[in-house]
Amino acid sequence: MRELADVALNAATSGGAEYADIRISRHKTRGVSAREDRLQNVADNESFGFGVRVLVDGTWGFAASCQVDAETVAEVAGRALAMAKANRAIRLRPVELVPVPAYEDTWRTPIETDPFEVPLAEKAELLLAVNAAAMATPGIKFCNSSLLFQNEHKTFASTDGSFIVQEVFRTYPHFTVTATDSATGKFENRRSDTVPRGAGYEHVVASDMVAMAPKMAEQALEKLGAKSVEPGKWDLILHPSHLWLTIHESLGHPTELDRAVGLEANFAGTSFLTLDQLGKMQYGSEVVNFKADRTIPGGTGTCGYDDDGVKTTEWQLVRDGALVDYQTIRDQVLWPEYRDARAAAGLPEVNHSYGCSYADSWGSVPFQRQANIHLVAGREPLSLDELIADTERAILIVGDGSFSIDQQRRNFQFGGQVFYEVAGGKIVGMLKDVAYQANTQDFWNACDAVCDERFWEMSGTLCCGKGQPPQGAKMSHGAAPARFRQINVLNTRRSV
Amino acid sequence: MILDTQQAKAVIDKALSFATADETRVNLSGGRRGNTRFALNAVTTCGDTDSLSISVRAAFGRRHASAAGNELGDEAIRRLVAKAEDLARLAPEDPEYVGELGPREYAAIDPWSDSTAAATAERRADAVAEAINVADAGQLESSGYYEHGRGFSAVGNSKGLFAWGRTTDADFSVTMRADGGTASGWAAGNSRDIDEIDCAAAIRLAAEKAVAGRNRKPLAPGVYPVILEPAAVEEFLGFGFYTLGARQADEGRSFFAAPGGGNKIGQKVVSDTVTIRSDPGNSAVAALPFAGDGLPTQAHAWIDQGVVRQLVYDRYWAAKQGVTPTGSPANMILDGGAGTLEEMIRNTDRAVLVTRFWYIRFVDPQTILLTGLTRDGTFWVEDGEIRHAVNGFRFNDSPISLLSKVTAMTAPVRVGNAFVPAIASSEFTLSSVSDSV
């Protein structure tokens, strides 16, 4: 690998690049899925290749190939150089990278059991047992279950002198139970309360889906007969298994600095958190604190170094409700508008990237992706039971469902998996046809309580889409249960 | 990288020669894609990528598994076949395994353009420069994306089936923002033939919409007549289009399930002016004449004059139900009517005109209730004229409802993998205001 890296970097520098990097990576996924009493699919995918990125006169060029040999590496480096030179005339501001140390290092997700080594029979047996456990509930005829494992092995080398080898594992077990009523034609789904993790097969074992399945089945049936919600203003108590997605959409994305300055305008949009808001905007109430952290154990976005060769770290985005920072990559840190905004907000100067660059494949251009981002747990002792007991009228939402947010991350609408009516400080029954719609800033300023560390949980995604061409990134989001006052709730039942 | 039919067959035959399973299928695909992205009136990223993928599915009786890779050396292929076979031997029997198809005949469809295949980074840069020039002249901020690709796909199996095809595609989109992001316009073009994409026209249209967006007046949420431009139609109907699975309907788990059992084939579900079909031979949205398992791609009318005529049957469910498999839809064609968007506007008393939608997601699969946002050009039409821009909206509505209230449709145009018209509908629920631009 080192020899191939040298070919690329030498070709780039002798071709006029002031910076270059190469990522040689192998991406593996293994998926096993089952429905009811049969295995549906066993698939093993592997992709190997390399991508060369060059900076010539402040202009990026990139090329990649699945043919990994010295001759092709040199040719691809040449194509990247040509790309950069072709775009020089339409480049406005030269790209400048904040300096990083040279690292010679390795990093691997700490795992107990390599999921790719676990026998297929064991995985198949587990999925069929999950489905059987769900279908043992009278009235349940459908259950789909699956296991997904990812492995990324990346060798990164740059003209900064770095040579970094990383291996990242991710594991996601889940299932969905469907309850149907053939007389009415109605059906309801209940997806499992399982989460993706930066972990090995031990996460599948710990998820104990077989034990969980009967409860999910009962809840799917209960949803069929649940009371349809009265629309209007409700207090909401949001469980971490639900809240992670609201955090992802309403805080994670608008604090990506590329989005905030307008670089994603043609696709995902921009952000209402413009740089002039830094240090000024009261994004949320005083109990709302958000941290970004690409080092947290088990995070699906956790790794040792990003795809710019920056060591990962943690930092604060929102403190006591105030917007105090963004997520950044190397070529943003030296932007005058970012540095001026920090100075105007009285924030200290920053001369390092927060390490948010990621490419989902050897053939993809690295660019800014969302980090693991967490709602910090409440400082005062508060359990979920105590929060419910303290609430006169609310809907408790567990699990994530429908999700949609506008192109500046203001107007959003979310569903969930199950909805419980809270009345007089007690859960009194299940509701259905629930979605809530709010403006992001109003919503987070309506947060008046966050449970404590004991109730903090992490969920996340293996497929956050962004960019053109689209890339999928992975990140986790943790939270404790939190209450939001007087949020607009819709009834989603329709006749067509 | 592109392999021609002989080269692809040689690789597939090589893989099959290593196989020891009862049945083996090999899929091969690859190509080169190039793209240039720009924002804030400057290029941001640009790249091209050569890719290749080989996938092997092995079956021992009813035990099957697949493995995929992207290395074509003999040893790599041998390992890939062995991996698929090792997994297949360990897999439990699948009672729904349908077996590989024998040799087929395929329609002579060649969705290829030499111009697209030869497109370069320089061509993309020229279009981007044009967008930047227009933006600079109009004191606007341009951003956008220009991508093209050429590729091939091939399938072969141990029963002697073999198919090979090639494709090209090109896509250009541009967003113009005015006055520090207080107004926005968007336009796009796509085709398999890059020469058919009029980038200059898209750039001009996006700029016009952004300028028109400066004159924005508030409009309250509510139920309104709407005109959806073809891009909005494609995004909105596309979600509903992929709920056409027969199995889910027969199992009582989709909108197309009938109360009491069975499905809605034969039932009227939308206006009788609506026919939605697929046709791989349609010249605007031509598709490869074969699917991944080698099944010939077919033309089907899914909804014909408002009545459900066909649902999507895979080979297993078709055999179980005693019908012919349909395969997956090759594309989405809504026949529409005649006339242009401008004529439709002239014939409209009042409506909200929507350029495009954003972030559409399912709310309730029971009714195909969707939510999403309007974006990049939302206007009020009155007495046959566009009067002014309005604020954006979140909507909550269903394609079934929209298509039940159609009042007019234009002639269709290509949008992505769809050939759809602009649609005027008498009622659409714009449920809350989105101040975002």
Side-chain angles (χ1 to χ4, degrees), chain A residues 26-42:
Chain A
R26 188 178 294 276
H27 298 259
K28 294 197 300 190
T29 63
R30 181 165 294 174
V32 187
S33 61
R35 64 170 292 169
E36 290 86 59
D37 60 356
R38 52 205 170 274
L39 209 64
Q40 268 195 304
N41 197 35
V42 178

Side-chain angles (χ1 to χ4, degrees), chain A residues 138-158:
Chain A
I140 295 293
K141 289 191 280 190
F142 303 108
C143 184
N144 293 69
S145 56
S146 70
L147 300 172
L148 177 65
F149 308 104
Q150 296 177 345
N151 175 280
E152 291 178 9
H153 190 285
K154 277 188 193 177
T155 299
F156 172 92
S158 71

Side-chain angles (χ1 to χ4, degrees), chain B residues 34-367:
Chain B
N35 65 79
T36 300
R37 198 171 192 210
F38 60 105
L40 302 176
N41 293 344
V43 68
T44 53
T45 60
C46 174
D48 72 23
T49 301
D50 286 339
S51 66
L52 192 124
S53 174
I54 175 170
S55 169
V56 176
R57 186 172 93 148
F60 293 93
R62 292 182 169 278
R63 302 174 191 273
H64 63 91
S66 65
N70 67 342
E71 295 167 90
L72 288 196
D74 283 8
E75 196 43 45
I77 295 176
R78 189 193 303 274
R79 279 199 310 271
L80 193 68
V81 172
K83 190 191 298 189
E85 292 187 350
D86 288 347
L87 288 172
R89 284 193 193 90
L90 295 169
E93 286 201 348
D94 178 4
E96 297 186 10
Y97 178 68
V98 292
E100 294 298 329
L101 292 166
R104 304 281 126 162
E105 296 285 325
Y106 299 103
I109 303 172
D110 183 31
W112 176 267
S113 155
D114 288 336
S115 289
T116 310
T120 61
E122 286 76 12
R123 179 170 186 156
R124 303 194 300 267
D126 288 343
V128 172
E130 170 70 11
I132 293 169
N133 289 340
V134 167
D136 282 342
Q139 295 180 307
L140 303 170
E141 225 167 53
S142 67
S143 60
Y145 184 62
Y146 201 175
E147 180 184 43
H148 49 80
R150 61 181 192 261
F152 81 98
S153 183
V155 58
N157 69 26
S158 50
K159 286 190 169 173
L161 178 147
F162 177 74
W164 178 94
R166 59 180 189 169
T167 59
T168 54
D169 64 273
D171 191 296
F172 177 77
S173 62
V174 57
T175 300
M176 292 285 187
R177 290 169 70 76
D179 304 335
T182 55
S184 181
W186 174 92
N190 53 77
S191 173
R192 70 171 170 273
D193 182 351
I194 198 169
D195 291 339
E196 289 182 357
I197 298 178
D198 190 343
C199 296
I203 291 164
R204 274 196 309 274
L205 180 58
E208 284 165 14
K209 287 186 185 239
V211 170
R214 285 172 167 147
N215 177 23
R216 186 165 73 236
K217 295 184 180 168
L219 185 67
V223 179
Y224 289 94
V226 290
I227 296 174
L228 304 185
E229 291 201 27
V233 170
E234 186 267 341
E235 286 159 334
F236 188 59
L237 295 194
F239 265 79
F241 191 65
Y242 293 102
T243 64
L244 286 170
R247 183 171 187 173
Q248 273 202 299
D250 292 341
E251 290 175 344
R253 304 203 274 166
S254 82
F255 166 78
F256 291 100
N263 60 51
K264 289 183 178 169
I265 289 180
Q267 287 188 30
K268 188 167 186 295
V269 293
V270 292
S271 164
D272 55 17
T273 60
V274 173
T275 293
I276 300 178
R277 58 192 178 87
S278 299
D279 181 2
N282 179 292
S283 60
V285 283
L288 283 176
F290 57 91
D293 59 357
L295 187 71
T297 327
Q298 304 159 47
H300 289 288
W302 310 105
I303 293 177
D304 184 22
Q305 297 177 79
V307 176
V308 181
R309 290 293 178 212
Q310 182 62 284
L311 295 173
V312 178
Y313 285 86
D314 61 26
R315 289 176 57 217
Y316 167 73
W317 199 248
K320 191 160 164 62
Q321 302 296 73
V323 300
T324 307
T326 61
S328 295
N331 45 38
M332 178 172 74
I333 299 168
L334 174 52
D335 283 329
T340 64
L341 177 63
E342 290 70 27
E343 288 163 354
M344 177 180 274
I345 291 170
R346 279 201 294 276
N347 291 325
T348 297
D349 290 335
R350 59 190 290 275
V352 175
L353 171 63
V354 176
T355 297
R356 67 182 291 216
F357 286 131
W358 168 244
Y359 223 133
I360 298 179
R361 290 293 185 275
F362 277 101
V363 176
D364 185 357
Q366 190 88 64
T367 55

Side-chain angles (χ1 to χ4, degrees), chain A residues 230-264:
Chain A
E230 185 69 36
K233 298 283 191 190
W234 285 80
D235 291 349
L236 300 180
I237 297 174
L238 302 181
H239 190 269
S241 61
H242 168 85
L243 192 50
W244 77 267
L245 186 51
T246 311
I247 293 168
H248 177 91
E249 298 293 355
S250 67
L251 186 279
H253 279 310
T255 52
E256 291 170 310
L257 188 56
D258 63 346
R259 205 181 287 256
V261 303
L263 290 174
E264 287 289 322

Side-chain angles (χ1 to χ4, degrees), chain A residues 26 28 30 35-49 59-67 75-76 79 82-84 86-88 90-93 95 119-121 124-125 128 141-144 178 180-189 248-249 253 259 261-270 272 362-367 401-413 433 435 437 439 466-470 490-496, chain B residues 1 32 35-52 55 64-71 79-80 83 86-88 90-96 121-122 124-126 128-129 132 141 143-145 147 173-175 177 181 186-187 247 251-255 257-261 269 316 356 358-376 393-398 400-401 404 429 431-437:
Chain A
R26 188 178 294 276
K28 294 197 300 190
R30 181 165 294 174
R35 64 170 292 169
E36 290 86 59
D37 60 356
R38 52 205 170 274
L39 209 64
Q40 268 195 304
N41 197 35
V42 178
D44 190 295
N45 292 340
E46 192 166 317
S47 178
F48 179 54
T59 312
W60 283 120
F62 176 83
S65 175
C66 55
Q67 200 162 322
E75 187 260 329
V76 163
R79 292 212 315 256
M83 204 81 59
N87 288 308
R88 170 63 186 88
I90 47 175
R91 184 267 291 149
L92 201 62
R93 169 162 66 179
V95 172
L120 173 61
E125 196 179 310
L128 294 173
K141 289 191 280 190
F142 303 108
C143 184
N144 293 69
T178 303
T180 56
D181 181 343
S182 56
T184 60
K186 302 286 183 198
F187 61 93
E188 290 285 352
N189 296 318
H248 177 91
E249 298 293 355
H253 279 310
R259 205 181 287 256
V261 303
L263 290 174
E264 287 289 322
N266 192 56
F267 182 53
T270 56
F272 74 101
W362 49 266
S364 301
V365 174
F367 72 127
S402 175
F403 58 102
S404 174
I405 191 164
D406 75 28
Q407 65 272 22
Q408 288 190 306
R409 304 278 146 178
R410 286 195 178 93
N411 179 315
F412 65 61
Q413 181 173 307
D433 304 325
Q437 183 272 316
N439 171 290
K466 181 183 173 184
Q468 291 176 301
L490 319 176
N491 184 304
T492 61
R493 187 169 55 182
R494 295 285 186 277
S495 300
V496 291
Chain B
M1 61 185 51
R32 175 175 285 193
N35 65 79
T36 300
R37 198 171 192 210
F38 60 105
L40 302 176
N41 293 344
V43 68
T44 53
T45 60
C46 174
D48 72 23
T49 301
D50 286 339
S51 66
L52 192 124
S55 169
H64 63 91
S66 65
N70 67 342
E71 295 167 90
R79 279 199 310 271
L80 193 68
K83 190 191 298 189
D86 288 347
L87 288 172
L90 295 169
E93 286 201 348
D94 178 4
E96 297 186 10
E122 286 76 12
R124 303 194 300 267
D126 288 343
V128 172
I132 293 169
E141 225 167 53
S143 60
Y145 184 62
E147 180 184 43
S173 62
V174 57
T175 300
R177 290 169 70 76
W186 174 92
R247 183 171 187 173
E251 290 175 344
R253 304 203 274 166
S254 82
F255 166 78
V269 293
Y316 167 73
R356 67 182 291 216
W358 168 244
Y359 223 133
I360 298 179
R361 290 293 185 275
F362 277 101
V363 176
D364 185 357
Q366 190 88 64
T367 55
I368 318 181
L369 181 67
L370 306 175
T371 190
L373 293 306
T374 67
R375 187 179 167 180
D376 297 323
F393 289 98
R394 168 171 298 285
F395 70 83
N396 278 279
D397 215 315
S398 166
I400 302 300
S401 175
S404 298
T429 305
S431 48
S432 58
V433 166
S434 163
D435 285 322
S436 294
V437 174

